[in-house]
Amino acid sequence: MIDLPWNFAAIPQYFLRFFPAALMTLQITALGIFVGLGLGFVAGMMRLSTYKLISLPSHFYIWVIRGTPLLLQLFIIYYGLAVIVSIPRLPAAVIALGIHNGAYIAEIFRGAVQSIERGQREAALSLGMTSWQSMKRIILPQAFRRAIPPLGNQFIIALKDSSLASTIAVRELLLRTRQVGSSQFMMMEMLIIAAVYYLMLTSVLTLITNRIEKNLSKSDRRN
Amino acid sequence: MYKNNIIEIKNLDKYYGKLHVLKNISFCVKKQEVVVIIGASGSGKSTLLRCINFLEFAQKGTISIDEKIIKTKATDLHKVRQEVGMVFQHFNLFPHFTALGNIIEGPVQVKKISKTKAILRAEQLLEQIGLVNKRDNYPSALSGGEKQRVAIARALAMDPKIMLFDEPTSSLDPELVGEVLSVMKDLAKKGMTMIVVTHEMGFAREVADRVIYMDEGRIVEEGDPEKIYQSPENERTKAFLSQIL
Ligand SMILES: Nc1ncnc2c1ncn2[C@@H]1O[C@H](COP(=O)(O)OP(=O)(O)O)[C@@H](O)[C@H]1O
Ligand SMILES: [Mg+2]
């Protein structure tokens, strides 16, 4: 048998020690997604407006955020803004993740709304609905359903991106891994533990979105 | 113009960019009249119906409904549309609502009628279109003919003064056309004012008071169905009819 330079037998005994850090990862992700959904919904709706004054700011936001790295955005919020407001680590990570995901989620919502056949809006208007009523009752409920698969995908990306919070010393999975790994001289072993945690979290997220998608498609089959 | 004209269209011109789609269209529809519009694909029939419902806006001319000229900028168009029901070629049912849900949506959301009352009325309509047993089906579980009948009931639930039909049977399998036409005939006999774009000659002959032939955005000929189908005056009408018959 080849003698590996790693001590994998130590993995089980360290595994549970990472639980609090995994919870922190989950917390950053959940809050980040929450902020991102809010921002993304508003920006997505604004982007759909025919009024330039409303759609342009949203366009600009999406352009800037999608065109720059998340790590840079995080540093701007945590280090760059420090001279005027000092935002604590966790909120800084959540805000950065939220603003970043908001841009992508805006595009997801916009795409979903635009994918609803024009005839749906026309049928709603022809019943005497206002533009807003047709959006609220007819377009958005269908668009939300269509947005679920890409949203699930985005949530998984957000979960993995939350590891960037380690760079501003938020005690999430990756930071914890590096700390324990270097103090115990078992970097590879601890990285493997982190990988397992990430895989578990992303798999659960995938299962949940698949379940929601399946339940919805039971009632919403296309015409 | 005349009394009892529920719709009056005067000198309507509509462009899509440079494309001149409706050219100086004028015509009236009296209360309880059934008008059938025929014409080749691309002649502007759908556009004309959509203008009457203000889903599209003409650049010139006026449309009066119930003797009021509708100014598209100044009027609450959603109020006008409540009076004008529309049935589409592709049904456009709301896929996230059941048949009943589709029918009560307008009354409950727009007219703010109580759900209980709206359901009672919807059940009457379902009976009228012969689909009581499909009440709780989602559109995906209805045949094309059933979808279109539900779409008609959905429009009727708003108690419109006028019903517009845009090729209501042309996306249906032939064996399903009859059930939709019979609902429409029934409606016509009950005195509904209707404008119907259709090439179903049997329907036109049975219930239409007038047939309008459109060609390249113009009304080329109009008259009672027998006259149009039997002895059209215009050469283009003749040529068109010889193609569809
Ligand atoms: N939204 C639109 N934008 C540009 N052109 C259109 C649009 N809708 C229809 N047209 C054009 O207008 C003409 C009339 O179309 P339409 O009213 O749908 O004709 P019909 O219903 O008689 O087949 C056609 O040449 C069509 O291509
Ligand atoms: Mg058409």
Side-chain angles (χ1 to χ4, degrees):
Chain A
M1 211 175 108
I2 311 165
D3 211 13
L4 289 172
W6 302 301
N7 175 19
F8 290 132
I11 289 180
Q13 82 187 69
Y14 281 93
F15 195 80
L16 279 181
R17 284 222 229 158
F18 284 75
F19 192 68
L23 278 185
M24 179 56 88
T25 285
L26 201 58
Q27 191 186 346
I28 303 168
T29 308
L31 292 173
I33 286 173
F34 190 72
V35 173
L37 279 172
L39 278 175
F41 180 70
V42 173
M45 290 296 106
M46 285 172 65
R47 187 87 170 69
L48 286 164
S49 172
T50 45
Y51 299 103
K52 281 257 158 23
L53 216 63
I54 296 177
S55 71
L56 272 184
S58 162
H59 203 186
F60 181 77
Y61 159 64
I62 294 166
W63 174 65
V64 169
I65 296 299
R66 295 210 305 174
T68 57
L70 170 55
L71 192 54
L72 177 91
Q73 294 158 15
L74 180 63
F75 283 179
I76 285 179
I77 287 165
Y78 187 64
Y79 298 119
L81 292 181
V83 282
I84 42 169
V85 282
S86 130
I87 304 171
R89 300 165 200 286
L90 177 61
V94 167
I95 292 169
L97 204 61
I99 291 177
H100 183 78
N101 278 279
Y104 287 91
I105 293 172
E107 288 292 87
I108 290 173
F109 279 144
R110 179 176 74 103
V113 166
Q114 284 177 335
S115 78
I116 305 299
E117 300 67 24
R118 200 173 66 147
Q120 290 290 306
R121 177 183 151 83
E122 291 177 350
L125 292 184
S126 79
L127 288 177
M129 286 193 191
T130 59
S131 227
W132 167 241
Q133 280 176 320
S134 98
M135 197 47 139
K136 191 179 70 170
R137 296 285 309 170
I138 308 303
I139 308 298
L140 284 181
Q142 295 184 60
F144 283 142
R145 286 162 201 222
R146 272 190 212 180
I148 284 167
L151 279 178
N153 200 33
Q154 187 61 39
F155 294 167
I156 285 170
I157 294 173
L159 188 107
K160 293 185 289 183
D161 280 353
S162 71
S163 59
L164 289 173
S166 65
T167 60
I168 58 165
V170 177
R171 290 176 59 104
E172 49 69 76
L173 257 178
L174 196 62
L175 182 71
R176 185 86 182 117
T177 308
R178 286 169 52 203
Q179 286 171 344
V180 179
S182 55
S183 70
Q184 305 292 315
F185 303 103
M186 285 195 290
M187 192 52 91
M188 182 56 129
E189 294 82 341
M190 299 307 121
L191 288 170
I192 287 172
I193 293 179
V196 171
Y197 270 105
Y198 277 117
L199 270 172
M200 291 191 322
L201 290 172
T202 50
S203 301
V204 169
L205 213 51
T206 308
L207 280 176
I208 294 172
T209 34
N210 284 353
R211 176 65 58 83
I212 294 174
E213 207 186 324
K214 209 177 257 164
N215 278 346
L216 284 178
S217 66
K218 262 182 214 154
S219 61
D220 174 29
R221 277 154 304 181
R222 307 273 30 198
N223 266 22
Chain B
M1 279 207 264
Y2 315 103
K3 273 270 140 67
N4 286 331
N5 277 341
I6 193 161
I7 300 177
E8 280 183 23
I9 294 169
K10 279 189 210 159
N11 310 108
L12 213 60
D13 273 285
K14 162 83 186 161
Y15 299 79
Y16 284 117
K18 280 189 180 153
L19 189 68
H20 199 173
V21 186
L22 296 178
K23 298 168 185 160
N24 197 27
I25 298 272
S26 299
F27 74 99
C28 300
V29 179
K30 291 195 193 63
K31 271 187 188 129
Q32 307 206 328
E33 205 177 8
V34 176
V35 175
V36 161
I37 300 178
I38 58 175
S41 172
S43 55
K45 309 178 298 294
S46 296
T47 306
L48 177 58
L49 284 196
R50 296 159 60 79
C51 285
I52 298 174
N53 208 6
F54 301 97
L55 293 172
E56 297 286 352
F57 303 110
Q59 279 84 2
K60 264 196 262 166
T62 58
I63 298 175
S64 315
I65 291 177
D66 244 359
E67 305 185 8
K68 281 190 297 280
I69 292 181
I70 308 298
K71 300 217 174 62
T72 54
K73 293 262 161 54
T75 323
D76 280 336
L77 291 175
H78 62 272
K79 294 209 174 112
V80 180
R81 292 195 197 102
Q82 290 177 32
E83 317 266 283
V84 186
M86 179 126 178
V87 174
F88 302 87
Q89 181 176 354
H90 298 290
F91 330 126
N92 301 355
L93 285 182
F94 306 132
H96 55 309
F97 296 144
T98 61
L100 186 88
N102 269 277
I103 300 173
I104 64 171
E105 182 65 8
V108 172
Q109 298 299 324
V110 177
K111 288 195 164 174
K112 312 290 182 198
I113 287 171
S114 80
K115 209 163 169 182
T116 332
K117 262 191 173 168
I119 289 176
L120 282 179
R121 170 83 175 115
E123 281 168 342
Q124 280 175 3
L125 286 165
L126 281 166
E127 197 165 318
Q128 190 179 330
I129 61 171
L131 287 177
V132 175
N133 57 339
K134 299 291 165 80
R135 175 185 192 271
D136 297 318
N137 283 32
Y138 282 91
S140 55
L142 296 174
S143 74
E146 290 168 345
K147 281 182 201 167
Q148 195 60 298
R149 286 187 279 160
V150 171
I152 294 172
R154 173 178 69 178
L156 289 176
M158 289 298 293
D159 291 318
K161 292 182 177 152
I162 304 153
M163 285 282 283
L164 310 175
F165 295 81
D166 191 1
E167 303 207 35
T169 59
S170 57
S171 63
L172 296 178
D173 291 335
E175 74 272 18
L176 302 177
V177 169
E179 61 189 60
V180 172
L181 289 181
S182 96
V183 167
M184 291 167 60
K185 284 176 195 167
D186 197 36
L187 203 55
K189 282 167 190 159
K190 283 186 176 145
M192 175 61 76
T193 308
M194 295 163 61
I195 303 180
V196 187
V197 174
T198 183
H199 294 149
E200 294 291 337
M201 196 171 61
F203 173 84
R205 287 184 134 170
E206 191 174 334
V207 297
D209 298 295
R210 201 146 42 100
V211 175
I212 289 178
Y213 171 64
M214 280 182 71
D215 184 59
E216 291 179 4
R218 284 196 181 81
I219 294 182
V220 172
E221 186 163 0
E222 63 182 300
D224 71 68
E226 293 312 316
K227 184 208 142 210
I228 297 283
Y229 290 117
Q230 297 296 331
S231 48
E233 281 162 15
N234 189 287
E235 285 308 316
R236 305 195 75 142
T237 319
K238 273 181 208 164
F240 173 74
L241 285 172
S242 70
Q243 274 169 20
I244 63 160
L245 296 187

